[in-house]
Amino acid sequence: MFIVPEKEIAGLVSADQCFEAVEAVFAAMARGDAYNFPVIREAIGHAEALYGFKSGFDRAGAVLGLKSGGYWPGNAAKGLTNHQSTVVLFDPDSGRPAALVGGNLLTALRTAAASAVSIRYLARSDARVLGVLGAGHQSAFQLRAAVAQRRFEKIVGWNYHPEMLPRLAETAAELGLPFEAVSLEDFGAQADVIVTISSSFSAQLMDAHVRPGTHLACMGTDTTGKQEIDPAIFVRARVFADEIAQSVEIGEAQHAVAAGLIAAEDIVEIGAVINGTAPGRQSDDEITVFDGTGVGLQDLAVAARAVAAARARGVAVEVDL
């Protein structure tokens, strides 16, 4: 069994490699070559933590395993990341444990890669203003991944706690793009592509804020009750998801489905667009929504890349179980 420590991950897997891994696994899911197992996510009654498992099997990539982890809100005060994750890979031919991989950075990279995939396949080709709603740790990863997909000329940002917006401003400056902190009304009026990456439990971006032709990548909702956007937006939009079952149960679409505004049958797997078996954007005026709930297969795909790179570079620790 190989152990790949968290401290090694940054030097092993690039954002481009994560994009390729996530794109490939979405395509495999839509072909029926890969599938996720039911998600377990629970409040453990200790340290206000949420803890759970995401797992699955990718036949095409011969990758089997799980990601274990969750959210510990008190970690920041300890100098730790609030989100903690570890990936375990197994040999699909024998069931033997194959690798233990630090999953914190990989989770950030794969989440950003998923929204980037949606931008590549669903955003207007002439999109020039990127909007990021949310300014937590993940927002910088989202911003870096998104700008690689279109020739953006400006970044606009909004956050419930505006004192956190300098993170977005600094990342935009790093990328050589101007940044503007705006009201929600101006945010929707300017942005051609919107990435939402908050931990909200109530709608922040309303239907009236979203213009025709906008693409939204909703990346923050991954738990029952979480919500970032007005369910009415779904009525005007074509809706895509990483996995339909998760989208309607724990994703952003849960609220629109519960209200009877859309049905699961109205949602298209992004992998079908990648494979060419379903259309993506069909007009410049169309609103598209990608519900990125975060599936276990994403974690397994990027972890497998990290293990291969770690073994090739001699930084994986081999142990005999």
Side-chain angles (χ1 to χ4, degrees), residues 63-87:
V63 179
L64 172 69
L66 61 89
K67 182 176 82 168
S68 170
Y71 184 74
W72 274 258
N75 273 6
K78 303 173 185 177
L80 301 172
T81 303
N82 287 347
H83 289 89
Q84 290 291 321
S85 299
T86 303
V87 179

PDB file of all heavy atoms in Angstrom, residues 63-87:
ATOM      1  N   VAL A  63     -10.591   2.333 -11.038  1.00  0.00           N
ATOM      2  CA  VAL A  63     -10.362   3.023  -9.769  1.00  0.00           C
ATOM      3  C   VAL A  63     -11.539   2.757  -8.831  1.00  0.00           C
ATOM      4  O   VAL A  63     -12.689   3.025  -9.171  1.00  0.00           O
ATOM      5  CB  VAL A  63     -10.193   4.540  -9.981  1.00  0.00           C
ATOM      6  CG1 VAL A  63      -9.972   5.235  -8.649  1.00  0.00           C
ATOM      7  CG2 VAL A  63      -9.030   4.830 -10.919  1.00  0.00           C
ATOM      8  N   LEU A  64     -11.226   2.218  -7.654  1.00  0.00           N
ATOM      9  CA  LEU A  64     -12.223   1.893  -6.643  1.00  0.00           C
ATOM     10  C   LEU A  64     -11.779   2.508  -5.321  1.00  0.00           C
ATOM     11  O   LEU A  64     -10.602   2.423  -4.957  1.00  0.00           O
ATOM     12  CB  LEU A  64     -12.327   0.371  -6.484  1.00  0.00           C
ATOM     13  CG  LEU A  64     -13.189  -0.162  -5.322  1.00  0.00           C
ATOM     14  CD1 LEU A  64     -14.663   0.120  -5.570  1.00  0.00           C
ATOM     15  CD2 LEU A  64     -12.943  -1.658  -5.136  1.00  0.00           C
ATOM     16  N   GLY A  65     -12.709   3.126  -4.596  1.00  0.00           N
ATOM     17  CA  GLY A  65     -12.301   3.676  -3.312  1.00  0.00           C
ATOM     18  C   GLY A  65     -13.327   4.599  -2.691  1.00  0.00           C
ATOM     19  O   GLY A  65     -14.495   4.628  -3.091  1.00  0.00           O
ATOM     20  N   LEU A  66     -12.860   5.350  -1.703  1.00  0.00           N
ATOM     21  CA  LEU A  66     -13.744   6.251  -0.984  1.00  0.00           C
ATOM     22  C   LEU A  66     -12.964   7.472  -0.490  1.00  0.00           C
ATOM     23  O   LEU A  66     -11.745   7.435  -0.349  1.00  0.00           O
ATOM     24  CB  LEU A  66     -14.396   5.544   0.212  1.00  0.00           C
ATOM     25  CG  LEU A  66     -13.470   4.993   1.298  1.00  0.00           C
ATOM     26  CD1 LEU A  66     -13.195   6.040   2.380  1.00  0.00           C
ATOM     27  CD2 LEU A  66     -14.083   3.763   1.939  1.00  0.00           C
ATOM     28  N   LYS A  67     -13.717   8.537  -0.258  1.00  0.00           N
ATOM     29  CA  LYS A  67     -13.178   9.700   0.451  1.00  0.00           C
ATOM     30  C   LYS A  67     -13.911   9.826   1.770  1.00  0.00           C
ATOM     31  O   LYS A  67     -15.143   9.804   1.822  1.00  0.00           O
ATOM     32  CB  LYS A  67     -13.341  10.997  -0.351  1.00  0.00           C
ATOM     33  CG  LYS A  67     -12.728  12.194   0.399  1.00  0.00           C
ATOM     34  CD  LYS A  67     -12.786  13.471  -0.402  1.00  0.00           C
ATOM     35  CE  LYS A  67     -14.123  14.149  -0.318  1.00  0.00           C
ATOM     36  NZ  LYS A  67     -14.101  15.519  -0.865  1.00  0.00           N
ATOM     37  N   SER A  68     -13.146   9.944   2.837  1.00  0.00           N
ATOM     38  CA  SER A  68     -13.707  10.107   4.166  1.00  0.00           C
ATOM     39  C   SER A  68     -13.323  11.488   4.682  1.00  0.00           C
ATOM     40  O   SER A  68     -12.174  11.913   4.544  1.00  0.00           O
ATOM     41  CB  SER A  68     -13.157   9.028   5.105  1.00  0.00           C
ATOM     42  OG  SER A  68     -13.510   9.302   6.442  1.00  0.00           O
ATOM     43  N   GLY A  69     -14.279  12.170   5.286  1.00  0.00           N
ATOM     44  CA  GLY A  69     -13.939  13.479   5.833  1.00  0.00           C
ATOM     45  C   GLY A  69     -15.161  14.329   6.069  1.00  0.00           C
ATOM     46  O   GLY A  69     -16.288  13.850   6.026  1.00  0.00           O
ATOM     47  N   GLY A  70     -14.946  15.595   6.306  1.00  0.00           N
ATOM     48  CA  GLY A  70     -16.059  16.483   6.571  1.00  0.00           C
ATOM     49  C   GLY A  70     -15.606  17.867   6.958  1.00  0.00           C
ATOM     50  O   GLY A  70     -14.545  18.338   6.538  1.00  0.00           O
ATOM     51  N   TYR A  71     -16.419  18.500   7.788  1.00  0.00           N
ATOM     52  CA  TYR A  71     -16.226  19.919   8.117  1.00  0.00           C
ATOM     53  C   TYR A  71     -16.179  20.086   9.631  1.00  0.00           C
ATOM     54  O   TYR A  71     -17.129  19.732  10.338  1.00  0.00           O
ATOM     55  CB  TYR A  71     -17.373  20.731   7.527  1.00  0.00           C
ATOM     56  CG  TYR A  71     -17.247  22.227   7.722  1.00  0.00           C
ATOM     57  CD1 TYR A  71     -16.346  22.970   6.977  1.00  0.00           C
ATOM     58  CD2 TYR A  71     -18.045  22.893   8.654  1.00  0.00           C
ATOM     59  CE1 TYR A  71     -16.234  24.342   7.141  1.00  0.00           C
ATOM     60  CE2 TYR A  71     -17.944  24.267   8.830  1.00  0.00           C
ATOM     61  CZ  TYR A  71     -17.031  24.973   8.071  1.00  0.00           C
ATOM     62  OH  TYR A  71     -16.920  26.332   8.239  1.00  0.00           O
ATOM     63  N   TRP A  72     -15.052  20.623  10.106  1.00  0.00           N
ATOM     64  CA  TRP A  72     -14.848  20.926  11.526  1.00  0.00           C
ATOM     65  C   TRP A  72     -14.718  22.441  11.681  1.00  0.00           C
ATOM     66  O   TRP A  72     -13.659  23.003  11.416  1.00  0.00           O
ATOM     67  CB  TRP A  72     -13.583  20.226  12.037  1.00  0.00           C
ATOM     68  CG  TRP A  72     -13.810  18.831  12.498  1.00  0.00           C
ATOM     69  CD1 TRP A  72     -13.908  18.399  13.793  1.00  0.00           C
ATOM     70  CD2 TRP A  72     -13.972  17.661  11.687  1.00  0.00           C
ATOM     71  NE1 TRP A  72     -14.124  17.042  13.832  1.00  0.00           N
ATOM     72  CE2 TRP A  72     -14.167  16.560  12.545  1.00  0.00           C
ATOM     73  CE3 TRP A  72     -13.985  17.440  10.302  1.00  0.00           C
ATOM     74  CZ2 TRP A  72     -14.369  15.269  12.079  1.00  0.00           C
ATOM     75  CZ3 TRP A  72     -14.187  16.153   9.835  1.00  0.00           C
ATOM     76  CH2 TRP A  72     -14.372  15.084  10.722  1.00  0.00           C
ATOM     77  N   PRO A  73     -15.781  23.143  12.066  1.00  0.00           N
ATOM     78  CA  PRO A  73     -15.761  24.605  12.067  1.00  0.00           C
ATOM     79  C   PRO A  73     -14.753  25.231  13.020  1.00  0.00           C
ATOM     80  O   PRO A  73     -14.385  26.389  12.857  1.00  0.00           O
ATOM     81  CB  PRO A  73     -17.203  24.982  12.447  1.00  0.00           C
ATOM     82  CG  PRO A  73     -17.745  23.777  13.143  1.00  0.00           C
ATOM     83  CD  PRO A  73     -17.096  22.603  12.493  1.00  0.00           C
ATOM     84  N   GLY A  74     -14.281  24.482  14.009  1.00  0.00           N
ATOM     85  CA  GLY A  74     -13.315  25.040  14.947  1.00  0.00           C
ATOM     86  C   GLY A  74     -11.870  24.868  14.541  1.00  0.00           C
ATOM     87  O   GLY A  74     -10.964  25.324  15.264  1.00  0.00           O
ATOM     88  N   ASN A  75     -11.634  24.272  13.395  1.00  0.00           N
ATOM     89  CA  ASN A  75     -10.257  23.977  13.007  1.00  0.00           C
ATOM     90  C   ASN A  75      -9.417  25.213  12.722  1.00  0.00           C
ATOM     91  O   ASN A  75      -8.214  25.227  12.961  1.00  0.00           O
ATOM     92  CB  ASN A  75     -10.227  23.063  11.782  1.00  0.00           C
ATOM     93  CG  ASN A  75     -10.293  21.595  12.160  1.00  0.00           C
ATOM     94  OD1 ASN A  75     -10.466  21.259  13.324  1.00  0.00           O
ATOM     95  ND2 ASN A  75     -10.163  20.731  11.176  1.00  0.00           N
ATOM     96  N   ALA A  76     -10.051  26.244  12.189  1.00  0.00           N
ATOM     97  CA  ALA A  76      -9.292  27.452  11.829  1.00  0.00           C
ATOM     98  C   ALA A  76      -8.577  28.022  13.047  1.00  0.00           C
ATOM     99  O   ALA A  76      -7.437  28.495  12.955  1.00  0.00           O
ATOM    100  CB  ALA A  76     -10.219  28.490  11.211  1.00  0.00           C
ATOM    101  N   ALA A  77      -9.221  27.959  14.207  1.00  0.00           N
ATOM    102  CA  ALA A  77      -8.610  28.471  15.433  1.00  0.00           C
ATOM    103  C   ALA A  77      -7.422  27.630  15.880  1.00  0.00           C
ATOM    104  O   ALA A  77      -6.590  28.084  16.665  1.00  0.00           O
ATOM    105  CB  ALA A  77      -9.657  28.515  16.549  1.00  0.00           C
ATOM    106  N   LYS A  78      -7.328  26.415  15.344  1.00  0.00           N
ATOM    107  CA  LYS A  78      -6.212  25.518  15.656  1.00  0.00           C
ATOM    108  C   LYS A  78      -5.116  25.568  14.598  1.00  0.00           C
ATOM    109  O   LYS A  78      -4.159  24.794  14.654  1.00  0.00           O
ATOM    110  CB  LYS A  78      -6.729  24.075  15.775  1.00  0.00           C
ATOM    111  CG  LYS A  78      -7.831  23.875  16.793  1.00  0.00           C
ATOM    112  CD  LYS A  78      -8.375  22.447  16.702  1.00  0.00           C
ATOM    113  CE  LYS A  78      -9.558  22.251  17.625  1.00  0.00           C
ATOM    114  NZ  LYS A  78     -10.138  20.891  17.489  1.00  0.00           N
ATOM    115  N   GLY A  79      -5.303  26.440  13.609  1.00  0.00           N
ATOM    116  CA  GLY A  79      -4.337  26.509  12.523  1.00  0.00           C
ATOM    117  C   GLY A  79      -4.501  25.406  11.504  1.00  0.00           C
ATOM    118  O   GLY A  79      -3.580  25.109  10.734  1.00  0.00           O
ATOM    119  N   LEU A  80      -5.702  24.797  11.464  1.00  0.00           N
ATOM    120  CA  LEU A  80      -5.989  23.712  10.536  1.00  0.00           C
ATOM    121  C   LEU A  80      -7.081  24.124   9.560  1.00  0.00           C
ATOM    122  O   LEU A  80      -7.847  25.058   9.820  1.00  0.00           O
ATOM    123  CB  LEU A  80      -6.459  22.466  11.303  1.00  0.00           C
ATOM    124  CG  LEU A  80      -5.497  21.879  12.335  1.00  0.00           C
ATOM    125  CD1 LEU A  80      -6.203  20.791  13.136  1.00  0.00           C
ATOM    126  CD2 LEU A  80      -4.257  21.322  11.648  1.00  0.00           C
ATOM    127  N   THR A  81      -7.162  23.427   8.426  1.00  0.00           N
ATOM    128  CA  THR A  81      -8.232  23.659   7.470  1.00  0.00           C
ATOM    129  C   THR A  81      -9.539  23.084   8.006  1.00  0.00           C
ATOM    130  O   THR A  81      -9.558  21.959   8.519  1.00  0.00           O
ATOM    131  CB  THR A  81      -7.894  22.980   6.120  1.00  0.00           C
ATOM    132  OG1 THR A  81      -6.653  23.486   5.645  1.00  0.00           O
ATOM    133  CG2 THR A  81      -8.975  23.238   5.085  1.00  0.00           C
ATOM    134  N   ASN A  82     -10.619  23.851   7.899  1.00  0.00           N
ATOM    135  CA  ASN A  82     -11.907  23.382   8.412  1.00  0.00           C
ATOM    136  C   ASN A  82     -12.375  22.108   7.718  1.00  0.00           C
ATOM    137  O   ASN A  82     -12.949  21.224   8.340  1.00  0.00           O
ATOM    138  CB  ASN A  82     -12.968  24.472   8.259  1.00  0.00           C
ATOM    139  CG  ASN A  82     -12.781  25.604   9.253  1.00  0.00           C
ATOM    140  OD1 ASN A  82     -12.014  25.486  10.200  1.00  0.00           O
ATOM    141  ND2 ASN A  82     -13.469  26.708   9.039  1.00  0.00           N
ATOM    142  N   HIS A  83     -12.156  22.037   6.396  1.00  0.00           N
ATOM    143  CA  HIS A  83     -12.511  20.837   5.646  1.00  0.00           C
ATOM    144  C   HIS A  83     -11.348  19.841   5.729  1.00  0.00           C
ATOM    145  O   HIS A  83     -10.216  20.189   5.384  1.00  0.00           O
ATOM    146  CB  HIS A  83     -12.808  21.172   4.181  1.00  0.00           C
ATOM    147  CG  HIS A  83     -14.079  21.926   3.982  1.00  0.00           C
ATOM    148  ND1 HIS A  83     -14.146  23.304   4.004  1.00  0.00           N
ATOM    149  CD2 HIS A  83     -15.348  21.493   3.766  1.00  0.00           C
ATOM    150  CE1 HIS A  83     -15.393  23.690   3.806  1.00  0.00           C
ATOM    151  NE2 HIS A  83     -16.136  22.619   3.655  1.00  0.00           N
ATOM    152  N   GLN A  84     -11.618  18.645   6.171  1.00  0.00           N
ATOM    153  CA  GLN A  84     -10.600  17.611   6.285  1.00  0.00           C
ATOM    154  C   GLN A  84     -11.030  16.371   5.503  1.00  0.00           C
ATOM    155  O   GLN A  84     -12.153  15.882   5.671  1.00  0.00           O
ATOM    156  CB  GLN A  84     -10.377  17.232   7.759  1.00  0.00           C
ATOM    157  CG  GLN A  84      -9.704  18.316   8.581  1.00  0.00           C
ATOM    158  CD  GLN A  84      -8.250  18.525   8.178  1.00  0.00           C
ATOM    159  OE1 GLN A  84      -7.518  17.582   7.877  1.00  0.00           O
ATOM    160  NE2 GLN A  84      -7.822  19.786   8.164  1.00  0.00           N
ATOM    161  N   SER A  85     -10.146  15.876   4.630  1.00  0.00           N
ATOM    162  CA  SER A  85     -10.490  14.735   3.787  1.00  0.00           C
ATOM    163  C   SER A  85      -9.300  13.809   3.597  1.00  0.00           C
ATOM    164  O   SER A  85      -8.150  14.263   3.519  1.00  0.00           O
ATOM    165  CB  SER A  85     -10.964  15.213   2.403  1.00  0.00           C
ATOM    166  OG  SER A  85     -12.111  16.009   2.506  1.00  0.00           O
ATOM    167  N   THR A  86      -9.583  12.528   3.489  1.00  0.00           N
ATOM    168  CA  THR A  86      -8.584  11.515   3.165  1.00  0.00           C
ATOM    169  C   THR A  86      -9.203  10.544   2.165  1.00  0.00           C
ATOM    170  O   THR A  86     -10.363  10.132   2.326  1.00  0.00           O
ATOM    171  CB  THR A  86      -8.151  10.741   4.419  1.00  0.00           C
ATOM    172  OG1 THR A  86      -7.659  11.663   5.396  1.00  0.00           O
ATOM    173  CG2 THR A  86      -7.054   9.737   4.089  1.00  0.00           C
ATOM    174  N   VAL A  87      -8.437  10.184   1.143  1.00  0.00           N
ATOM    175  CA  VAL A  87      -8.917   9.250   0.125  1.00  0.00           C
ATOM    176  C   VAL A  87      -8.231   7.903   0.313  1.00  0.00           C
ATOM    177  O   VAL A  87      -7.020   7.838   0.531  1.00  0.00           O
ATOM    178  CB  VAL A  87      -8.640   9.784  -1.298  1.00  0.00           C
ATOM    179  CG1 VAL A  87      -9.125   8.783  -2.355  1.00  0.00           C
ATOM    180  CG2 VAL A  87      -9.328  11.138  -1.504  1.00  0.00           C
TER     181      VAL A  87
END
